[in-house]
Amino acid sequence: MDQTDQKNGNNNTLGLRREIMEKIKHGEVRMRSKAYFIWQALAVAAAVVLLLLLAVAIASFLIFVLHASGRIFLPSFGWQGWRLFLLRFPWLILLLIAALVVILEILVKRFAYRRPFIYSLGSILAVILVAGIFVGQSSLHPVLFNQASENQLPLAGGLYRYFEQENLEEIHHGIISNINQGGFTLNTKEEPYSVIPNDQVMLDNLYNGDRVFVLGEESNGQIHAFGIKKVGKDELFRKIWIPGQGPNMK
Amino acid sequence: MESLNKNPTDEALAKLVQNGEIEKFGELVERYGKKLERYGRKFLQNSNSLEDLVQDVFLKAYKNIQNFNPDRKFSSWIYRIAHNEFINELKKNSRHPFAFIEPDLLALHPAVENTVSDLEKQEMRQLLESSLESLDQKYREVLILYYEEEFSYKEISDILTIPVATVGIRLQRGKLRLQEAYKRIETYGSNGSKKRQ
């Protein structure tokens, strides 16, 4: 750069300084107060907390629905179970959680951009998953479900009732009676069905009065079962509602 | 005291502006006016409105100066504002959508900042001068900030709001692409026709 260029450059900068300072002095641009930025940061932090709570609530609801509907047992019954699990999975709820995770990641990245994207995303997913499982296993959702059944839950009541009333053709809940070598009767909230298990299904540990999820298609009052899952008293899903009776808190 | 210092740091000046000495903002404009213009010229390649853009950068900086933390570097902060302003300008003039998530943002390995010799810097500056246009914007920006503006990886991470590891990866890839582009230009010329030996 020769001397003339340098001189021109200096003149340009001085001109720029003059123009900017004039705009500032004439009030064309005003400095935002410190309080503005503090409130902005607080608003973002509050949004992160609220969205995280919402995501945890929805994730725990998803876990509750998977357990309560019996979908969770499907993958343990081979490829047929997996196919049904993927087919009947409440994808919309998962999509909603994914959308919340994306929004959370965008907000968190404002402060935590220095570390790789995968760290913040991993942390968000871990918090949602751990807290979701924890809340999903608590008695919160069965209690809310009960309130929703009695029309005492104004906001999310419809959501619980939707999943109570949804008809999963291949999953049947009920109580066993008339057990014999060829099968048993399953008393459900709609009507009793005659359950005929296939060759791979063992009836050894099943007794009259047991609560079970029976997996298989129903036709003419008969269910051809490819899987039966007993719902034990001490198991995680002990708080699952019995259709027509509300949550069973035994 | 900083205010009595004849040559206060940028951060000290910014603090004085925050405390109401708005005249001091003029000094910051003087210090960064030429630098931001040079950065903008390299970054945008062709822009008739560069002077207006730089003016907007300073006006935005003044408007938001209370958001600046004087414990951090003022240069990174004002370059970040400039970078956002220039990106918006590019978006306005570009028909191609900007990627929301780049795969290199997933980089996990910590970036190790090597010491670069003056000779290498000089060479890279010459390469940048001749082949900058042929580079993707994401490589162009890190190369300019590292070799031309002499920012560290961490400072570039602050300016571009991307992980430090990604800065390292883009710099490495950018250098390779720049060398390839230079070789191509040497062999075929800038218009694509093969040069006579």
Side-chain angles (χ1 to χ4, degrees), chain A residues 61 64-65 141 144-167 189 241:
Chain A
F61 179 72
F64 167 73
V65 165
H141 288 295
L144 291 178
F145 170 79
N146 201 22
Q147 288 178 1
S149 300
E150 292 162 10
N151 284 327
Q152 288 173 349
L153 192 67
L155 274 177
L159 202 61
Y160 285 95
R161 282 192 293 275
Y162 171 81
F163 280 99
E164 183 199 12
Q165 286 156 14
E166 75 170 340
N167 185 21
K189 77 171 172 181
W241 75 84

Side-chain angles (χ1 to χ4, degrees), chain B residues 5-196:
Chain B
N5 194 333
K6 277 192 177 168
N7 195 17
T9 61
D10 300 337
E11 293 74 30
L13 279 175
K15 200 170 182 178
L16 291 173
V17 179
Q18 286 177 335
N19 293 336
E21 291 186 47
I22 56 169
E23 278 299 329
K24 299 289 180 195
F25 190 74
E27 217 163 303
L28 288 169
V29 175
E30 251 186 75
R31 285 186 189 185
Y32 282 92
K34 263 200 280 186
K35 287 181 186 175
L36 294 184
E37 247 182 63
R38 182 184 60 203
Y39 176 51
R41 203 172 300 120
K42 295 266 178 192
F43 192 88
L44 298 168
Q45 302 285 292
N46 296 310
S47 178
N48 301 323
S49 52
L50 184 59
E51 278 179 29
D52 291 339
L53 284 173
V54 171
Q55 193 177 108
D56 287 346
V57 170
F58 282 113
L59 294 176
K60 277 191 182 156
Y62 177 77
K63 198 173 173 182
N64 296 300
I65 198 140
Q66 295 291 358
N67 197 30
F68 168 66
N69 176 0
D71 295 332
R72 302 186 86 162
K73 288 197 85 174
F74 181 80
S75 56
S76 305
W77 185 74
I78 197 149
Y79 267 79
R80 187 200 283 200
I81 297 173
H83 179 262
N84 291 341
E85 196 71 16
F86 298 154
I87 284 282
N88 287 339
E89 177 70 9
L90 281 180
K91 278 182 189 165
K92 250 195 285 176
N93 300 326
S94 170
R95 272 170 288 167
H96 305 291
F98 277 63
F100 179 63
I101 291 179
E102 296 278 356
D104 55 10
L105 289 172
L106 300 169
L108 287 172
H109 298 294
V112 181
E113 195 167 350
N114 302 317
T115 24
V116 180
S117 67
D118 286 346
L119 188 69
E120 193 194 331
K121 275 187 188 169
Q122 190 63 32
E123 272 176 13
M124 287 307 291
R125 278 191 206 119
Q126 279 171 359
L127 285 179
L128 276 171
E129 206 65 54
S130 56
S131 319
L132 198 60
E133 259 180 82
S134 57
L135 280 180
D136 274 0
Q137 182 248 323
K138 67 174 181 177
Y139 296 122
R140 200 191 305 164
E141 59 193 18
V142 282
L143 287 167
I144 296 170
L145 288 169
Y146 190 72
Y147 288 106
E148 299 271 354
E149 307 299 325
E150 303 197 325
F151 282 108
S152 69
Y153 282 23
K154 263 191 183 171
E155 288 165 343
I156 298 174
S157 154
D158 285 339
I159 293 166
L160 305 178
T161 59
I162 57 173
V164 181
T166 306
V167 173
I169 287 175
R170 286 191 185 173
L171 208 53
Q172 222 173 5
R173 289 183 189 160
K175 265 199 290 190
L176 287 174
R177 303 249 165 126
L178 193 61
Q179 281 157 352
E180 283 165 13
Y182 182 73
K183 274 183 204 160
R184 224 174 17 249
I185 291 170
E186 277 290 285
T187 318
Y188 295 103
S190 53
N191 59 0
S193 57
K194 191 160 186 171
K195 278 183 176 177
R196 284 183 189 169

